[in-house]
Amino acid sequence: MTILKTTLNTATTDFAENDAHYRRRIDELHALRRTQRIGGPEKVRARHTEKGKMLPRERVERLIDPGTPFLELGELAGLGKYNDVPPGAGIITGIGMVSGRHCMIIANDATIKGGTYFGMTTKKHVRAQRIAWNNRLPVITLVDSGGAFLPDQENIFPDEGQFGSIFHNQVGMSGDGIPQIAIVMGPCTAGGAYIPSLCDEVVIVRGQGFMYLGGPELTFAATGEKVDAETLGGGKMHSSVSGVTDHLAENDAHALALTREIVLHLGEPPLPRKTPATPKPPAYPIEEIYGIVSRDAKVPTDNREVVARLLDGSEFHEFKPLYGDTLMTGWGRIHGHEVGVLANNGVLFVESALKAAHFINLCVQRDIPLLFLADVNGFMVGREAEQAGIAKAGAKMITAMSSARVPKFTVITGGSYGAGYLAMLGRPFQPDAMFIWPSGRAAIMGPEQAASVLAQVRSQINDREGTSWTAEEEEAFKAPIRKEYETFQDPYNFASNLWADSVIEPGETRETLALLLDIASRRPKVDTNFGVFRF
Ligand code: COA
């Protein structure tokens, strides 16, 4: 296997300045993560723990096997969207090992608006279900939720992808044999009560967990019946009278221990279909990526140097190295798991698009997962490219990428724009997971280009109407467009809207992908039916 060579000089001022700049962005990421990890206001957290309840993060930690990682997903979802609500949208989602088996864990944070669901909370819950479903992971939901956050009705109630889809997915997943367990750890009203009701097995905490479609107040308002919470939906009642719940726990710790036991009896865990090689670290320090990626977004990254720092032993069996070299394609390993890598090194030309289609076809044939490292301005434009059939070649790449049913992952490492973003396994093509680095950006086009295109359109209208504008007027027109695009393309905007599953730093990329590749290697192979390739 070829070991990728490096030509990097780490002793330059440029490297040092890039490195310092990237590290500041990573500090920013960690600061945002910290705000999310704290949860709701201190007063509310104190009230929560005074009731003898564990905070949601502690619950997750107690649920997973000691010393094993928890791959959190969507941790910055909802960032800056709701007043007084920290990023994360009041719910924790991620993959953790429970009793030796990887599970999707979904935990409401009752310290944030009573654990109620905003639009983004439902989107995050649905996304976690989708990842679990694709990978056939059991789902454990730690329910402590008042149901819908009523003022956000339009983003919760009427449409597909909103609250109702949580139930729809539960039923579909159940039909596909995916185990679902709920622990009722607080008062769960309305939607919060349906989630456990649609699970295979339900644990409830005595004197603390309640489940009802309408609480005591609503019941009184609706029917005039006066009834206390325990009689209406307490753990003892549901476990001994209604049969809605299956296991009665004495407290959070007991409920979590019972759940770990339930997981032991879910049947045989799936075995990997592949044998990973012995993992080895890359030949060059991964942290050097911070100095490789320029602090100036206009300076392109030598992604060969990036690939060399992501693969085991920096070993890369490159495919067609001399053809279509603005896209690197080849095979390598991440923590022993084989992966087919597509990494940009410039604009996509006809040759690079054809090479991508060929390479994806080979990976599908060989049942090898795909990893797209996206950093691309788009496809080549102009007479020469059009006459060479760039539209047809791009369509082949998109057909191959979109059809491929092997596990496929995207990491946006740099600026990914327009059709380039889409062709490099953009979100609409349903990657199994998509991450974005702090240096990642994505939009229809770059801020300057968008401002120029719209200014040109305006100029043409001016010409038609016989008017004109001064250079200052043109700049005043362009500045807000540039700003809007800058904000849009920011990785945290992608994370806030859950267009990416998480912002991760380069140093976390190998471990993140290794866990997902391991899980994906345990799901059944799905056959690919390629769409029509236009020749
Ligand atoms: N929609 C919007 N906001 C809600 C809410 C809902 N369904 N339920 C609670 N909140 C808000 C409260 O206004 C409060 O906001 P604040 O922090 O700005 O003061 C915050 O969430 C915490 O509520 P609080 O009642 O103080 O917390 P609690 O821990 O004592 O009780 C609940 C939590 C969820 C049990 C309780 O608030 C409740 O029963 N809510 C109504 C649930 C309901 O009927 N849902 C129907 C959905 S279809």
Side-chain angles (χ1 to χ4, degrees):
M1 188 79 101
T2 310
I3 297 179
L4 287 169
K5 301 259 181 321
T6 184
T7 56
L8 184 67
N9 180 359
T10 56
T12 64
T13 326
D14 192 43
F15 181 91
E17 285 183 14
N18 290 343
D19 179 85
H21 176 82
Y22 212 115
R23 284 179 196 274
R24 277 197 296 277
R25 296 227 63 185
I26 288 175
D27 289 346
E28 189 186 359
L29 168 62
H30 288 292
L32 285 170
R33 283 182 181 172
R34 266 196 301 280
T35 59
Q36 183 251 4
R37 285 189 190 169
I38 290 168
E42 194 175 347
K43 205 172 76 192
V44 183
R45 280 184 282 128
R47 200 152 65 86
H48 182 93
T49 49
E50 276 157 18
K51 290 179 198 155
K53 294 167 79 172
M54 287 181 190
L55 289 167
R57 247 159 229 288
E58 195 185 345
R59 288 172 173 167
V60 173
E61 268 163 38
R62 287 283 201 107
L63 178 63
I64 64 176
D65 296 351
T68 58
F70 177 61
L71 175 60
E72 189 158 352
L73 298 163
E75 58 188 346
L76 299 182
L79 170 68
K81 281 196 187 297
Y82 309 106
N83 284 342
D84 306 327
V85 171
I91 197 164
I92 300 167
T93 61
I95 300 169
M97 180 85 87
V98 180
S99 299
R101 186 165 182 156
H102 276 122
C103 295
M104 177 59 73
I105 299 167
I106 301 175
N108 300 125
D109 188 344
T111 69
I112 299 169
K113 302 286 176 196
T116 52
Y117 280 68
F118 301 87
M120 190 49 68
T121 322
T122 58
K123 189 172 176 185
K124 188 167 157 181
H125 194 131
V126 166
R127 175 70 185 151
Q129 289 181 311
R130 170 50 52 198
I131 292 173
W133 201 341
N134 284 353
N135 291 290
R136 304 189 62 80
L137 296 177
V139 180
I140 302 173
T141 311
L142 281 49
V143 201
D144 197 345
S145 167
F149 182 77
L150 294 171
D152 203 19
Q153 177 171 211
E154 69 180 296
N155 295 307
I156 301 163
F157 179 63
D159 204 2
E160 189 186 332
Q162 301 181 346
F163 213 123
S165 289
I166 297 175
F167 310 140
H168 184 60
N169 287 346
Q170 284 189 273
V171 175
M173 290 164 86
S174 187
D176 278 354
I178 294 164
Q180 295 169 76
I181 304 160
I183 320 180
V184 181
M185 310 185 96
C188 297
T189 323
Y194 271 115
I195 292 171
S197 303
L198 286 164
C199 282
D200 301 357
E201 282 187 64
V202 183
V203 181
I204 189 164
V205 182
R206 191 198 293 271
Q208 176 184 310
F210 300 92
M211 276 174 78
Y212 21 61
L213 301 190
E217 297 79 16
L218 186 77
T219 301
F220 179 68
T223 66
E225 186 186 14
K226 274 194 177 167
V227 56
D228 64 276
E230 185 58 50
T231 313
L232 192 64
K236 184 152 181 292
M237 188 285 285
H238 276 315
S239 302
S240 59
V241 179
S242 72
V244 169
T245 58
D246 312 300
H247 308 272
L248 182 60
E250 295 307 321
N251 50 38
D252 278 8
H254 185 211
L256 295 164
L258 280 172
T259 305
R260 290 177 52 78
E261 271 181 43
I262 294 172
V263 175
L264 282 176
H265 297 281
L266 294 180
E268 201 58 22
L271 293 172
R273 289 185 293 113
K274 314 214 160 198
T275 318
T278 308
K280 40 183 165 174
Y284 317 105
I286 200 161
E287 298 77 24
E288 286 178 354
I289 291 174
Y290 308 153
I292 293 168
V293 177
S294 177
R295 60 202 179 283
D296 178 355
K298 288 191 224 60
V299 177
T301 303
D302 181 355
N303 283 314
R304 188 165 290 272
E305 297 283 0
V306 170
V307 171
R309 283 158 183 80
L310 290 178
L311 298 179
D312 286 13
S314 305
E315 291 169 358
F316 189 53
H317 176 55
E318 192 162 358
F319 175 70
K320 279 186 184 298
L322 302 177
Y323 181 84
D325 61 0
T326 56
L327 183 75
M328 291 171 71
T329 54
W331 293 274
R333 291 185 184 267
I334 293 180
H335 280 265
H337 299 280
E338 192 176 18
V339 68
V341 179
L342 297 97
N344 302 111
N345 237 348
V347 173
L348 290 162
F349 286 88
V350 168
E351 293 80 5
S352 16
L354 293 177
K355 172 169 149 178
H358 186 175
F359 179 71
I360 293 167
N361 195 180
L362 291 177
C363 289
V364 166
Q365 186 92 329
R366 298 173 192 180
D367 188 22
I368 297 173
L370 292 165
L371 170 61
F372 289 76
L373 298 174
D375 176 16
V376 61
N377 279 336
F379 285 89
M380 191 62 199
V381 294
R383 184 179 52 81
E384 206 180 318
E386 299 291 353
Q387 291 190 356
I390 186 90
K392 214 165 55 166
K396 284 197 193 74
M397 175 174 176
I398 289 171
T399 299
M401 173 274 298
S402 181
S403 309
R405 300 289 303 275
V406 290
K408 44 189 184 184
F409 305 94
T410 317
V411 182
I412 302 179
T413 63
S416 283
Y417 295 103
Y421 160 77
L422 297 176
M424 289 300 286
L425 190 55
R427 190 67 153 193
F429 295 93
Q430 303 180 349
D432 283 284
M434 180 180 208
F435 300 102
I436 185 163
W437 281 358
S439 50
R441 309 172 295 285
I444 294 181
M445 55 181 79
E448 195 52 56
Q449 292 86 336
S452 296
V453 168
L454 286 171
Q456 260 170 27
V457 173
R458 189 69 248 165
S459 281
Q460 281 162 6
I461 295 170
N462 286 349
D463 290 348
R464 201 170 60 221
E465 293 176 348
T467 58
S468 62
W469 56 2
T470 63
E472 290 76 38
E473 283 167 337
E474 183 174 344
E475 179 48 32
F477 175 86
K478 282 168 139 184
I481 301 167
R482 234 182 258 126
K483 175 128 193 359
E484 195 183 312
Y485 266 68
E486 289 286 356
T487 309
F488 181 92
Q489 68 172 5
D490 191 85
Y492 297 112
N493 187 40
F494 269 64
S496 169
N497 285 293
L498 208 54
W499 297 329
D501 290 302
S502 279
V503 178
I504 57 169
E505 55 159 298
E508 297 166 325
T509 307
R510 279 171 49 78
E511 285 66 28
T512 303
L513 290 171
L515 192 139
L516 292 168
L517 286 164
D518 174 67
I519 289 165
S521 77
R522 294 163 195 273
R523 69 194 202 200
K525 179 174 184 277
V526 183
D527 290 334
T528 294
N529 294 318
F530 284 109
V532 170
F533 289 111
R534 287 173 50 82
F535 288 97

